[in-house]
């Protein structure tokens, strides 16, 4: 049986242990929600302060040139590109995940005008499904969003499908798709692929070019710690740069934005996937947050993610048996992302009780308690302590109060 001392020892041996100091984390809090809102890296506040006081306050409009505000979405795109195996010049930051998904979905459909089906899986994140539904309703007759069980995706890839649109790591179960295999099968049938990396970027190794992916979108406020509402990113394979025609375009994607041309002429690069002016203060916060990633060994990061998740699963299953908890998703670490969910009777109230005891995770309907492990700042001792508190909450029914049962707006 693993003891707390074993965990202290594992933390002492952890090659990433020093990264924790680079984040602002309240004392005594165990934060297992970096998959929903990553912790605040030191340095972000100073950088945002500078861009408010000096750049905006003093340099005003000249900051677009002087502080390179205009180029930031592309320069930050390069930093993210390294984390997702995107090569150079293929990633740009801006807008939201949902909006970026609309852009790449329309660009992909435009490349397959004789096909009318988007294939996805039933567990995909609702906003991804809604974006597709909204678009298909607009396009009208004959279009279809075909949702199949995650394990049936591969067998469902057939000639009629225009686009295979999937999320790599399932937000509930943590199950990963086989990106390489599904992308290859899609191409063999003439379908294009869109991968949502929201729960992957910064958590698990991704190799977009190696998998020959056509389009990808992803999130920067989860494992990349860009802050609440931080902009999304878009990846487009270079073979689509010259002729991709997203339906949502704007002056930032024009070949010469400051020519103020009345007719849209697309930039011959990833820049065409930009739309309009970005939320600069969020963009500069993200830029500062990504500083942490410049020298990081991504394989070490993944090794620690798997170790944290594995320890958590083992401890929950040995300390919290008898309370009806059941692991969601596959058991093999290589087939999972960096969060772990258990279905749990009264899961909502259990999570509220945990939060009251300073262990922050979240709840996902209908019955999942979910814990995200950010290898940069979560420790093995955090995992041990959190499971001790969880087992106490279950054993003493600390969750069983009207307060903990009443649902808040955000779960
Ligand atoms: C977090 C997440 C989103 C959120 O999209 P926003 O447009 O940023 O609100 C979308 N898709 C997936 C798969 C996510 O995990």
């Amino acid at each position: 049986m693993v003891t707390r001392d074993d965990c202290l020892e594992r933390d002492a041996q952890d090659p990433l242990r020093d990264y924790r100091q680079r984040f602002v984390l309240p004392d005594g809090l165990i934060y297992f929600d970096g998959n929903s809102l990553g912790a605040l890296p030191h340095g972000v506040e100073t950088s945002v302060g500078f861009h408010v006081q000096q750049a905006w306050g003093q340099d005003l409009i000249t900051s677009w040139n002087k502080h390179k505000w205009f180029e930031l979405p592309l320069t930050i795109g390069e930093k993210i590109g390294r984390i997702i195996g995107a090569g150079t010049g293929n990633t740009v930051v801006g807008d939201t995940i949902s909006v970026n998904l609309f852009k790449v979905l329309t660009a992909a459909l435009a490349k397959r005008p004789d096909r009318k089906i988007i294939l996805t899986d039933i567990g995909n994140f609702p906003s991804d499904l809604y974006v597709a539904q909204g678009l298909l309703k607009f396009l009208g007759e004959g279009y279809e969003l075909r949702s199949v069980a995650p394990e049936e995706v591969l067998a469902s890839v057939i000639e009629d499908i225009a686009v295979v649109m999937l999320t790599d790591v399932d937000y509930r179960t943590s199950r990963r798709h086989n990106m390489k295999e599904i992308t290859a099968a899609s191409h063999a049938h003439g379908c294009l692929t869109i991968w949502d990396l929201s729960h992957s970027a910064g958590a698990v190794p991704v190799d977009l070019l190696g998998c020959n992916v056509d389009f990808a979108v992803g999130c920067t406020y989860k494992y990349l710690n860009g802050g609440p509402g931080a902009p999304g990113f878009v990846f487009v394979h270079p073979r689509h740069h010259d002729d991709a025609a997203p339906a949502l375009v704007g002056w930032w994607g024009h070949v010469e934005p400051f020519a103020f041309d009345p007719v849209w002429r697309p930039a011959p690069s990833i820049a065409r996937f930009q739309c309009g002016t970005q939320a600069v203060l969020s963009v500069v916060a993200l830029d500062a947050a990504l500083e942490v990633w410049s020298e990081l060994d991504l394989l070490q990061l993944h090794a620690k993610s798997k170790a944290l998740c594995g320890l958590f699963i083992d401890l929950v299953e040995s300390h919290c048996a008898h309370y009806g908890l059941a692991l969601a998703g596959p058991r093999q670490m290589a087939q999972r992302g960096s969060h772990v969910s258990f279905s749990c009777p009264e899961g909502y109230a259990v999570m509220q009780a945990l939060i009251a005891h300073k262990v922050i995770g979240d709840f996902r309907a209908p019955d999942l308690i979910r814990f995200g492990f950010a290898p940069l700042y979560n420790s093995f001792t955090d995992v041990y302590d959190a499971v001790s508190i969880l087992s106490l909450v279950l054993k003493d029914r600390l969750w069983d109060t009207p307060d903990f049962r009443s649902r808040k707006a955000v779960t």
Side-chain angles (χ1 to χ4, degrees):
M1 186 69 82
V2 177
T3 65
R4 190 167 196 275
D5 280 345
D6 296 335
C7 293
L8 286 166
E9 181 56 27
R10 286 179 86 167
D11 287 333
Q13 304 292 333
D14 171 15
L16 299 175
R17 64 184 176 275
D18 292 339
Y19 278 95
R20 188 181 176 97
Q21 294 156 18
R22 299 179 68 164
F23 292 86
V24 176
L25 287 164
D27 279 342
L29 187 78
I30 300 180
Y31 190 65
F32 287 159
D33 223 342
N35 58 322
S36 255
L37 177 63
L40 169 64
H42 285 294
V44 169
E45 205 177 324
T46 310
S47 179
V48 173
F50 171 84
H51 283 277
V52 170
Q53 286 153 23
Q54 178 62 39
W56 179 15
Q58 302 298 315
D59 300 335
L60 288 153
I61 192 82
T62 68
S63 292
W64 285 102
N65 288 315
K66 189 169 178 189
H67 301 295
K68 307 229 172 334
W69 283 351
F70 191 72
E71 291 83 0
L72 270 179
L74 288 162
T75 52
I76 299 174
E78 293 311 296
K79 295 184 185 180
I80 292 173
R82 279 199 294 278
I83 301 171
I84 55 174
T88 53
N90 303 323
T91 312
V92 67
V93 153
D95 303 322
T96 68
I97 304 159
S98 307
V99 168
N100 288 328
L101 187 63
F102 180 86
K103 295 178 198 165
V104 295
L105 201 46
T106 52
L109 286 175
K111 289 198 129 197
R112 292 291 178 273
D114 51 336
R115 301 184 181 198
K116 295 193 163 178
I117 302 170
I118 299 169
L119 179 68
T120 190
D121 76 62
I122 46 172
N124 203 348
F125 191 80
S127 199
D128 297 40
L129 301 174
Y130 303 161
V131 167
Q133 287 162 14
L135 173 62
L136 296 194
K137 190 163 180 207
F138 177 79
L139 290 173
E141 273 305 283
Y143 281 91
E144 175 190 342
L145 175 65
R146 187 171 293 172
S147 302
V148 301
E151 56 278 9
E152 283 163 14
V153 167
L154 199 58
S156 308
V157 175
I158 53 169
E159 235 81 320
D160 295 352
I161 288 163
V163 188
V164 177
M165 176 190 87
L166 296 168
T167 295
D168 179 31
V169 174
D170 187 288
Y171 75 105
R172 281 189 290 219
T173 65
S174 198
R175 184 264 319 115
R176 279 194 92 178
H177 276 301
N178 188 329
M179 185 181 288
K180 192 162 200 166
E181 189 180 28
I182 293 175
T183 302
S186 303
H187 290 165
H189 290 88
C191 326
L192 293 168
T193 52
I194 296 174
W195 287 95
D196 186 331
L197 305 177
S198 291
H199 279 87
S200 311
V204 294
V206 179
D207 185 9
L208 290 177
L209 287 183
C211 293
N212 204 16
V213 165
D214 297 285
F215 302 94
V217 297
C219 184
T220 67
Y221 52 78
K222 291 169 178 159
Y223 293 100
L224 297 178
N225 313 304
F233 63 83
V234 191
F235 158 88
V236 178
H237 193 283
R239 67 176 163 271
H240 301 306
H241 285 190
D242 289 344
D243 63 354
L248 183 64
V249 297
W251 70 303
W252 280 41
H254 192 280
V255 63
E256 272 185 288
F258 288 89
F260 296 105
D261 185 350
V263 177
W264 193 68
R265 284 185 293 123
S269 68
I270 186 67
R272 79 170 59 187
F273 279 81
Q274 299 190 96
C275 190
T277 307
Q278 292 303 303
V280 174
L281 295 178
S282 282
V283 172
V284 298
L286 172 61
D287 194 33
L290 289 172
E291 201 44 50
V292 177
W293 296 83
S294 58
E295 285 153 28
L296 202 64
D297 179 338
L298 295 175
L299 288 178
Q300 249 171 23
L301 187 87
H302 189 219
K304 184 172 172 191
S305 151
K306 288 188 288 187
L308 290 168
C309 292
L311 177 67
F312 184 75
I313 293 171
D314 289 348
L315 288 174
V316 170
E317 291 187 337
S318 53
H319 293 253
C320 310
H322 321 303
Y323 301 105
L325 269 58
L327 177 67
R331 229 158 242 288
Q332 296 85 340
M333 290 303 144
Q335 293 172 24
R336 304 181 59 93
S338 202
H339 65 271
V340 174
S341 300
F342 281 91
S343 64
C344 174
E346 298 288 349
Y348 183 80
V350 168
M351 183 52 73
Q352 291 306 306
L354 275 175
I355 293 170
H357 289 82
K358 298 200 156 199
V359 177
I360 300 199
D362 53 27
F363 171 80
R364 285 294 173 263
D367 64 351
L368 293 176
I369 50 175
R370 185 177 74 163
F371 303 85
F373 301 94
L376 287 180
Y377 51 82
N378 289 141
S379 69
F380 294 97
T381 316
D382 285 341
V383 169
Y384 189 92
D385 291 343
V387 177
S388 304
I389 295 168
L390 174 63
S391 68
L392 189 75
V393 164
L394 293 168
K395 181 166 75 62
D396 293 349
R397 295 179 69 92
L398 299 179
W399 51 267
D400 199 2
T401 73
D403 236 23
F404 290 151
R405 285 168 191 269
S406 94
R407 300 263 172 133
K408 299 192 170 73
V410 175
T411 64

